[in-house]
Amino acid sequence: MATYVANVTLFDGRRVRERAGVLATGGRVAWVGAHARAPREARAAEAVDGAGMTLTPGLIDCHVHLCFDGAPDFVAEAGVTEPYAAIKCVGNAARHLATGVTTVRDLGGFRSVVCDVAKAIADGRIPGPRVVASGTALTITGGHGWNSFARQCDGADGVRLAVREQIRAGARSIKIVATGGVLTPGIPVDFTAFTPEEVEAAVDEAHTWNVPIAAHAIGRTGIANCVRAGIDSIEHGSQIDVEIAREMKAQGAFHVPTISALAQIVGHPEDVPAYAVSKGEQIMGMARDAFRRAIREGVRHACGTDAGTPHNPHGDAPKEIVQMVAWGLTPLRALQAATSNAADLLRVAGEVGTVEVGKAADLVLYRGNPVDDPSVLLAPATVWQGGVVVGGAG
């Protein structure tokens, strides 16, 4: 049945319109415009009164790990079988929908598990957000993630082979681990992993297959190597400096800060492994400064939570948006980071990310206006995916 949201404040993914109307039918947006000029078809549709409310595109989380639940010890949680991990993915996917997140990018799981879950969701076998799967993340031998979510590979040819393996398994995105990380013991957080030649091979191979490639990159040298190679997004980016930020803007590379992950690791010293808390504390201030530096230099941001890391549950993209505002991004730009920017990064802008005629009717209705008060995002009234209600408090 068609649905018409009437007289609503509309954030269409780019800008805000007052007293708007949106008609959805057949799972697609059929009409967008001024409520006063609604078409005849709107009268026959199920009416939703949008007075005092804001309608947005479905939110997009560009950095999740569906195989992980957010247990305090990330490495220990990796010790499950692939079938068990797939079951966890199903539950974690549903949590995203409930909070208004209708698209996610998974940046590292077990072999082809997330690729298969993504296909099952797309085929309608299980509920969940649209999943842009990356297969298994790629790291150097002994690098960050080797003992949890990443495949080890070395040399330019070895990296190309690993990228091709992920594509063969169904990946529609690639992730490389370009530096050390917080959650792997024994590796400095800013350690430079892949060589420039290896990074260039990964980027070239991913782009040959027309898929975006993300880099876990915390240390400055690793970040710089990735940006110069043409990476699509820097995940974390704690040591982005002015020079790197300017190059990112020039190349159109996105920054996905994953503030939630760092905040939760540092905020739970009672049960998160001490080595992880220590490394998190080491870079927290750097990460905030790098984020603000990227804002000043005009780098585009995309929303990503790193869901599945310690105490960082799935479905918390609304909280990440609030965090980005607290760190200095305007509410409008933070909303763009979780909608139109994110869709551009994931190369799904033809389908989602904005409220436009012909696109999927992935929509979220909120009481109040998140541009005025971002905390409004924490309690969606109604969530539609493909025009069907899948979440919200009603």
Side-chain angles (χ1 to χ4, degrees):
M1 183 176 179
T3 301
Y4 179 66
V5 184
N7 195 29
V8 72
T9 297
L10 173 64
F11 167 68
D12 65 8
R14 299 190 181 95
R15 61 189 179 93
V16 177
R17 311 188 210 177
E18 301 292 342
R19 296 181 294 279
V22 175
L23 176 65
T25 183
R28 299 277 164 182
V29 176
W31 182 85
V32 182
H35 170 56
R37 299 176 182 173
R40 289 183 178 180
E41 292 83 355
R43 299 174 190 172
E46 178 184 2
V48 176
D49 184 6
M53 308 183 84
T54 300
L55 187 70
T56 76
L59 303 181
I60 301 173
D61 190 334
C62 294
H63 191 139
V64 308
H65 297 279
L66 289 171
C67 288
F68 294 83
D69 290 334
D73 191 332
F74 188 78
V75 174
E77 194 184 353
V80 299
T81 64
E82 291 176 23
Y84 191 85
I87 293 170
K88 291 169 67 176
C89 285
V90 174
N92 288 332
R95 293 182 180 92
H96 286 283
L97 283 183
T99 63
V101 180
T102 56
T103 300
V104 301
R105 175 175 62 173
D106 188 283
L107 283 180
F110 306 148
R111 297 171 64 90
S112 66
V113 167
V114 180
C115 297
D116 293 337
V117 169
K119 186 177 187 303
I121 292 172
D123 290 346
R125 292 186 176 274
I126 54 173
R130 301 163 194 274
V131 178
V132 178
S134 302
T136 300
L138 307 181
T139 192
I140 63 169
T141 296
H144 171 59
W146 74 269
N147 54 357
S148 54
F149 64 92
R151 176 208 190 281
Q152 298 173 86
C153 53
D154 301 288
D157 289 343
V159 170
R160 284 188 186 276
L161 172 62
V163 170
R164 292 168 184 168
E165 287 177 349
Q166 307 319 305
I167 299 296
R168 181 183 63 190
R172 294 299 174 262
S173 169
I174 295 295
K175 177 186 177 181
I176 59 171
V177 179
T179 71
V182 171
L183 295 175
T184 303
I187 303 172
V189 72
D190 57 355
F191 171 78
T192 302
F194 287 115
T195 66
E197 293 76 19
E198 289 170 326
V199 174
E200 289 166 7
V203 171
D204 179 68
E205 192 64 34
H207 288 169
T208 295
W209 291 93
N210 196 31
V211 299
I213 178 168
H216 162 107
I218 293 175
R220 185 200 179 282
T221 301
I223 297 170
N225 288 344
C226 291
V227 174
R228 289 171 189 146
I231 207 81
D232 294 300
S233 66
I234 295 293
E235 313 293 311
H236 318 304
S238 305
Q239 292 184 2
I240 292 172
D241 62 18
V242 171
E243 179 184 352
I244 291 172
R246 289 174 178 169
E247 192 165 355
M248 288 177 69
K249 181 185 178 183
Q251 294 194 16
F254 289 81
H255 181 205
V256 182
T258 65
I259 301 169
S260 299
L262 203 53
Q264 295 294 66
I265 290 168
V266 171
H268 289 276
E270 73 280 0
D271 57 5
V272 173
Y275 69 84
V277 175
S278 176
K279 289 197 280 186
E281 290 173 342
Q282 175 189 343
I283 62 172
M284 176 64 89
M286 296 180 193
R288 183 177 56 249
D289 292 345
F291 180 72
R292 293 172 177 170
R293 198 173 292 125
I295 293 172
R296 288 195 300 270
E297 297 302 327
V299 175
R300 294 178 76 189
H301 284 89
C303 175
T305 60
D306 210 355
T309 53
H311 293 281
N312 188 11
H314 290 270
D316 272 0
K319 292 183 181 179
E320 179 74 13
I321 297 170
V322 173
Q323 292 262 36
M324 287 193 286
V325 173
W327 275 22
L329 204 58
T330 67
L332 181 64
R333 292 195 180 280
L335 284 167
Q336 291 169 343
T339 54
S340 57
N341 282 9
D344 286 344
L345 169 58
L346 303 191
R347 304 189 184 186
V348 293
E351 185 73 4
V352 297
T354 57
V355 182
E356 295 182 79
V357 172
K359 291 193 177 183
D362 291 2
L363 306 165
V364 190
L365 188 65
Y366 301 96
R367 295 180 178 85
N369 190 334
V371 175
D372 298 330
D373 177 9
S375 69
V376 164
L377 299 168
L378 303 179
T382 308
V383 182
W384 290 271
Q385 184 187 44
V388 177
V389 175
V390 293

